[in-house]
Amino acid sequence: REAGFDAINLPDGPRASSRISQVVTAIEIQEKAGIETVIHCCSRDRNLISLQSMILGCMAKNLRNILFITGDPPKLGNYPFSSGVFDVDSIGLVKLQKRLNRGVDVGGQPLGNNVKTSIVSGVGADPNAIDMEREYRRLAEKIEAGAEFIITQPVFEPEVLLQFLERIRPLGCPVIAGVWPFASYRNAQFMKTEVPGVVVPDWIMDAMKNAGDKDAQRAEG
């Protein structure tokens, strides 16, 4: 916060892994560090009832920024035997949030006492998508459903990002581009081989590998 950061981005079980609740973490950060958070909400692990309860809890604790994502299938993580819920995808989550912002719950009932949420809804996008037409179509559906901002997967080729931004310009939605400074060659290897939707070009891998020791690799990153 003192360095001038505007917000902290908190994933929800990334790569189908188990971590401390992003909601609890966000509350700690906002109340103790005084910096705004952007929490992810993944439809993989919760049914509609639980998703709605989580969003209402976020509102009660002043967590106003939520990035809605569908989530990686459990088979990609450390618990492939776990079941995925997927009552809705990210588009359905944005629609649910839009209803809650009008004071109507998932069942069409008013929240009562003129209560409405005031969550700012975000969605993800992948400029490196293999099927870019499908990516663009789904992104348009997310914005039509009520999405108010976009955060991209990390992008390592500037031209790829610029082409993507030009393509989605007609949608008129603000974009936060994913930029990931590598801490080491090992970090670059992990991103290249283990993180879905991330493409690390060979020239960057070569630069990181040939940089030298760990400090030099970090500086190169």
Side-chain angles (χ1 to χ4, degrees):
R1 178 177 58 82
E2 292 173 357
F5 283 86
D6 297 300
I8 303 293
N9 187 45
L10 298 169
D12 180 10
R15 301 185 311 281
S17 61
S18 182
R19 299 287 187 271
I20 188 172
S21 164
Q22 81 282 19
V23 175
V24 171
T25 307
I27 293 169
E28 290 286 295
I29 289 172
Q30 289 198 174
E31 293 184 353
K32 294 182 178 179
I35 184 169
E36 203 165 356
T37 58
V38 180
I39 67 168
H40 296 200
C41 177
C42 173
S43 70
R44 176 191 59 230
D45 308 317
R46 308 175 187 87
N47 65 16
L48 276 169
I49 299 169
S50 179
L51 287 166
Q52 178 174 278
S53 295
M54 173 192 157
I55 293 169
L56 293 174
C58 288
M59 187 64 193
K61 296 301 291 184
N62 200 35
L63 306 180
R64 303 299 179 96
N65 312 303
I66 303 182
L67 182 76
F68 293 109
I69 57 174
T70 303
D72 299 320
K75 65 181 181 180
L76 296 181
N78 296 326
Y79 318 104
F81 48 82
S82 180
S83 59
V85 181
F86 298 115
D87 273 0
V88 289
D89 61 6
S90 56
I91 299 171
L93 280 171
V94 174
K95 290 179 179 178
L96 167 62
Q97 182 57 68
K98 191 173 182 179
R99 291 170 66 94
L100 292 173
N101 279 355
R102 297 199 309 264
V104 181
D105 73 6
V106 67
Q109 303 297 316
L111 294 178
N113 297 322
N114 294 317
V115 171
K116 298 179 182 178
T117 61
S118 56
I119 302 292
V120 180
S121 301
V123 292
D126 183 8
N128 296 300
I130 296 174
D131 186 348
M132 189 50 69
E133 290 305 314
R134 178 181 181 275
E135 184 71 13
Y136 180 81
R137 184 176 67 252
R138 281 186 57 82
L139 193 54
E141 290 176 7
K142 292 174 184 179
I143 293 170
E144 184 179 356
E148 298 171 88
F149 68 96
I150 299 164
I151 296 182
T152 77
Q153 290 274 32
V155 183
F156 298 96
E157 287 279 18
E159 190 57 36
V160 170
L161 176 62
L162 294 173
Q163 290 175 1
F164 176 76
L165 292 175
E166 186 61 32
R167 176 67 194 277
I168 69 171
R169 190 183 303 277
L171 299 177
C173 192
V175 178
I176 300 173
V179 179
W180 187 291
F182 288 128
S184 64
Y185 175 60
R186 183 178 180 183
N187 181 212
Q189 283 182 309
F190 178 82
M191 290 292 288
K192 184 177 180 67
T193 60
E194 301 295 332
V195 182
V198 174
V199 177
V200 184
D202 291 338
W203 68 267
I204 289 183
M205 296 301 298
D206 291 340
M208 293 298 298
K209 184 177 182 180
N210 298 326
D213 62 19
K214 200 165 187 179
D215 289 340
Q217 289 175 15
R218 187 178 184 88
E220 182 70 19

